[in-house]
Amino acid sequence: MSKKNYSYWLKQSEQLTFARQAFINGQYCDAQSGATMEVTSPRDGKVLTSIAACDETDVDLAVTAARHAFDSGVWSNKSPKQRKKVLQKFAQLIEQNSDELAVTETLDMGMTINDSSNMNLPGSVECVHWYAELVDKLYDEIAPTHPNAVTRIHRVPLGVVAAIVPWNYPLMIACWKFAPALAAGNSVILKPSEQSSLTALRVAGLATEAGIPDGVFNVVPGYGHTAGKALGLHMGVDALAFTGSTRVGGLYMQYAGQSNLKRVSLECGGKTPNIVLADAPDLDAAADGIVLGAFSNQGQICNAGSRLIVERSIKDALMEKVLERVSLLRQGDPLDPNTEIGPLVDASHLSNVARYIDLGREQGASLQAGGQKIEPLSGNCYIEPTVFTEVSPEMAIAREEIFGPVLSVIAVDDLDQAIEVANSTVYGLGAAIWTSHLLKMEKAAKAIQAGVIWVNSHDHGDISSPVGGFKQSGFGRDKSAHAFDKYTEFKTVWVNLSGV
Ligand code: NAD
């Protein structure tokens, strides 16, 4: 039996101390205004600590430090091999502190310790290692222009990159952004979500310990409408790498337009369909994928398979399997490694999710499971995994991102209708299809507008394969070598050789 049982994690949680200050120019510091934000755990509603609440003054200090570091060449002019060594050390330090970071994440935003320690932390460490390893294996290009010219195409860093991230996988999504941005030679300012800043603040100190020079990696915790907006509008920021809601993604495009046309990349919301056709090779595997896809991290995943689109002839057989699995999900304290469903991120988000459940009922969907708030611990953040059938594509629960544990089941007659329904939202992040028919699989993969299509699986991923959206799910890609496109610019150098 693993030593990392419930009592191990409880003990870890009791021993925690938190990094509470912003990290600017290699130093932990309070917000200049002295303002702080209280951090409350959704696990039990208890106050964990309070942290710096940065505003535009702090953002300005961070941008000045980041710009100075970039212009000095202390990082941007290091050889890729030197940057690789430092980033490898950074990854090692994150790994050495994995248990502490995993518990911190669980307390801060409610992710189960299982996800946090077995997925979020290993994924974060792997990501930083992967970009460290990649950066000294990228070659520039020579364009085939003319015998009397050498035309080089270089990838160069952009300068100061602001990474703005959400609360659902706080550290891993931050790593998806800062690791390639730093590897490419940029200076980075990370703005974590006000609902989940603790791990970002902790790893800031590890960056310095790893050898990242002062000013190259900064963390400014704060509210979106103050710290986030200040980064969006700052004339000294060269690029915004955003993950979050579609609504706020749109604001960042406005901020860029109102200021210096800084480059924007957006990873936004989703309403992922899981299409199950009558010829699916294994209904048990499909039911497993559907339940995992809809309810992991309490459904708070951009790619959550929140719509099940099922061919009518197998609907009853599939739903029996899905509902049985849902009834077995273990819900409770996220620090217990046996828990599969923990709390939502906070009580106000729970109210949003509950409102959608009410809407589902009012609009005529049939509640098959869940729907109730529960109170395994205090704090008002727990709600049962919820399943609606008889959902039609026009209903709010079929179209809008709920970002909670709510599965909407829509029955269709055939693949063509399934594709039409799958494409009938403003989102296009991911989609899955379960079929054993090669041509149907290819047809769906071609016709569905989404950044990732899974066949006979759901939400599988690897650091080597890109994620990102079509339509209002955004543009630009995280993960894989393609992420460098967000953090580098091409520079052409044309050397005239005539007369040589
Ligand atoms: P959010 O949009 O509310 O917040 C994201 C970030 O933007 C936070 O750091 C927040 O402080 C900041 N922000 C909020 N209001 C702002 C404002 N007025 N001006 C400037 N900045 C502001 O999103 P969230 O609730 O933290 O996260 C959930 C959303 O993130 C969901 O829509 C989910 O689908 C999306 N998400 C997308 C991906 C992806 O890869 N596509 C991954 C994870 C989460």
Side-chain angles (χ1 to χ4, degrees), residues 94 97-105 121 171 199 202-203:
I94 296 174
N97 291 278
S98 278
D99 283 1
E100 178 202 325
L101 288 163
V103 182
T104 302
E105 204 92 296
L121 258 299
L171 185 57
T199 49
R202 177 72 179 94
V203 300

Side-chain angles (χ1 to χ4, degrees), residues 329-333 338-342 374 376 382-385:
L329 288 171
R330 288 179 297 247
Q331 196 165 8
D333 186 351
N338 291 317
T339 294
E340 292 164 293
I341 310 251
I374 57 168
Y382 295 80
I383 193 160
E384 292 171 331

Side-chain angles (χ1 to χ4, degrees), residues 123-142:
S124 304
V125 171
E126 183 190 31
C127 173
V128 181
H129 266 305
W130 199 83
Y131 286 104
E133 280 297 339
L134 184 62
V135 70
D136 67 348
K137 294 164 192 72
L138 296 174
Y139 292 76
D140 286 335
E141 299 167 16
I142 306 276

Side-chain angles (χ1 to χ4, degrees), residues 99-331:
D99 283 1
E100 178 202 325
L101 288 163
V103 182
T104 302
E105 204 92 296
T106 292
L107 292 183
D108 201 8
M109 49 64 67
M111 183 188 305
T112 63
I113 195 69
N114 223 341
D115 264 7
S116 171
S117 63
N118 294 325
M119 204 265 269
N120 187 34
L121 258 299
S124 304
V125 171
E126 183 190 31
C127 173
V128 181
H129 266 305
W130 199 83
Y131 286 104
E133 280 297 339
L134 184 62
V135 70
D136 67 348
K137 294 164 192 72
L138 296 174
Y139 292 76
D140 286 335
E141 299 167 16
I142 306 276
T145 49
H146 195 275
N148 285 339
V150 174
T151 309
R152 303 193 304 266
I153 304 167
H154 300 281
R155 250 182 205 277
V156 296
L158 298 172
V160 177
V161 172
I164 297 102
V165 295
W167 49 260
N168 63 327
Y169 283 94
L171 185 57
M172 194 164 68
I173 291 177
C175 290
W176 289 357
K177 302 208 181 295
F178 72 64
L182 288 173
N186 297 285
S187 296
V188 171
I189 302 168
L190 171 64
K191 200 214 76 70
S193 165
E194 53 272 45
Q195 286 144 292
S196 61
S197 303
L198 295 176
T199 49
L201 295 174
R202 177 72 179 94
V203 300
L206 300 180
T208 296
E209 205 179 320
I212 293 181
D214 293 352
V216 171
F217 184 62
N218 309 274
V219 181
V220 287
Y223 294 105
H225 61 275
T226 51
K229 184 175 178 181
L231 282 167
L233 289 170
H234 204 292
M235 298 298 283
V237 171
D238 299 299
L240 296 167
F242 171 82
T243 297
S245 62
T246 294
R247 182 187 69 81
V248 177
L251 291 180
Y252 278 96
M253 291 185 77
Q254 290 181 30
Y255 300 149
Q258 287 161 15
S259 54
N260 58 347
L261 295 189
K262 51 181 73 67
R263 182 185 293 193
V264 180
S265 58
L266 303 178
E267 305 282 343
C268 298
K271 191 75 185 172
T272 293
N274 241 314
I275 298 174
V276 185
L277 298 184
D279 59 16
D282 180 347
L283 276 197
D284 285 299
D288 287 342
I290 288 156
V291 172
L292 197 72
F295 300 117
S296 291
N297 205 22
Q298 295 72 256
Q300 302 166 132
I301 303 184
C302 51
N303 261 327
S306 52
R307 289 185 294 160
L308 167 57
I309 301 173
V310 53
E311 219 166 340
R312 213 175 295 281
S313 60
I314 54 154
K315 185 191 139 208
D316 290 347
L318 180 64
M319 286 315 297
E320 196 180 317
K321 292 177 188 296
V322 168
L323 291 171
E324 190 198 343
R325 282 161 175 75
V326 171
S327 72
L328 297 174
L329 288 171
R330 288 179 297 247
Q331 196 165 8

Side-chain angles (χ1 to χ4, degrees), residues 12 24-25 30 54 61 66 118 143 147 156 167 204 249 281 327 347 370 445 447 458:
Q12 289 279 317
I24 297 174
N25 206 17
D30 290 326
C54 294
L61 288 174
N118 294 325
V156 296
W167 49 260
S327 72
H458 180 258

